């Protein structure tokens, strides 16, 4: 119960308070110690929560000055660690066509909105890192609001291009 309470605080603290894991032992600790009551919430809801945590960690890492590849690696390792630790297989997230299940997509969109401020701060940094002009405030707002859907589409693309690559992480 204590871990669940600490995990829930993750989404309610200011973004500057988040420690982004970077060391292998931190990921191993998450794998071994971070668990949710997935039998109670359901594997799909737990997967959605873990996807959201990874997505938000990505923008936190970008905001902490990590390059885009490093930020993505951190998010990926976080996701894999907590999925493994909670014994959730990635296949449960997808339809037969390889699309993310709508219930997971909706929950991810809702949960990633909880790191909206950090996402909004990261958007110009993402553009700059790719050598692009900073987006207008309207575009930045749209990108921030659709971040969860972009993250899901990235996972779907990876899954469709190389199911074995994703599944082999687990």
């Amino acid at each position: 119960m204590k871990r669940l309470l600490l995990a829930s605080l993750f989404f309610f603290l200011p973004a500057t308070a988040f420690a982004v894991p970077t060391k292998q032992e931190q990921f191993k600790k998450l794998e071994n110690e971070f668990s949710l009551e997935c039998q109670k919430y359901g594997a799909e809801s737990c997967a959605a929560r873990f996807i959201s945590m990874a997505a938000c960690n990505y923008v936190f890492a970008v905001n902490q000055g990590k390059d885009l590849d490093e930020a993505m690696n951190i998010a990926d390792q976080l996701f894999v660690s907590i999925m493994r630790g909670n014994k959730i297989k990635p296949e449960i997230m997808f339809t037969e066509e390889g699309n993310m299940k709508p219930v997971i997509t909706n929950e991810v969109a809702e949960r990633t909105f909880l790191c909206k401020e950090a996402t909004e701060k990261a958007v110009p940094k993402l553009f700059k890192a790719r050598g692009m002009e900073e987006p207008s405030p309207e575009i930045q707002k749209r990108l921030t609001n659709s971040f969860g859907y972009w993250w899901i589409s990235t996972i779907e693309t990876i899954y469709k291009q190389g199911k074995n690559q994703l599944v082999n992480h687990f």
Side-chain angles (χ1 to χ4, degrees):
M1 185 63 166
K2 182 178 174 184
R3 283 185 241 156
L4 178 60
L5 179 61
L6 290 173
S8 64
L9 289 175
F10 173 83
F11 286 113
F12 298 109
L13 295 173
T16 56
F18 295 119
V20 174
T22 56
K23 297 179 180 147
Q24 218 40 53
E25 57 268 12
Q26 293 172 309
F27 293 108
K28 199 65 172 161
K29 187 172 183 170
L30 280 168
E31 182 176 336
N32 293 329
E33 297 182 17
F34 181 86
S35 65
L36 288 181
E37 296 179 39
C38 294
Q39 293 79 12
K40 177 181 176 181
Y41 302 118
E44 291 173 351
S45 182
C46 278
R49 293 163 195 243
F50 302 153
I51 292 167
S52 302
M53 289 173 68
C56 289
N57 253 277
Y58 175 71
V59 295
F60 299 151
V62 168
N63 287 335
Q64 289 179 5
K66 307 287 186 201
D67 69 53
L68 301 188
D69 288 338
E70 184 179 6
M72 186 61 76
N73 286 336
I74 290 168
D76 288 347
Q77 287 183 339
L78 174 77
F79 177 69
V80 169
S81 295
I82 56 182
M83 288 284 283
R84 262 192 210 147
N86 285 273
K87 296 175 179 47
I88 298 175
K89 299 290 183 192
E91 295 87 355
I92 65 100
M93 302 185 307
F94 300 96
T95 64
E96 287 181 21
E97 296 79 28
N99 297 318
M100 190 70 64
K101 290 180 179 176
V103 67
I104 293 174
T105 299
N106 293 337
E107 189 168 343
V108 168
E110 191 176 297
R111 290 184 180 280
T112 55
F113 205 70
L114 296 172
C115 62
K116 178 184 177 185
E117 287 180 28
T119 305
E120 194 167 19
K121 184 179 171 187
V123 168
K125 294 175 183 182
L126 294 169
F127 272 68
K128 183 178 180 182
R130 291 188 171 99
M132 300 167 66
E133 186 177 315
E134 189 170 316
S136 70
E138 179 59 32
I139 297 294
Q140 185 170 341
K141 181 179 178 182
R142 286 182 187 176
L143 292 171
T144 299
N145 291 340
S146 63
F147 174 66
Y149 294 106
W150 171 79
W151 193 264
I152 289 290
S153 72
T154 302
I155 294 172
E156 287 174 336
T157 300
I158 292 167
Y159 184 74
K160 288 175 183 177
Q161 288 178 350
K163 279 186 186 179
N164 293 333
Q165 183 181 5
L166 180 66
V167 173
N168 286 337
H169 282 311
F170 296 83

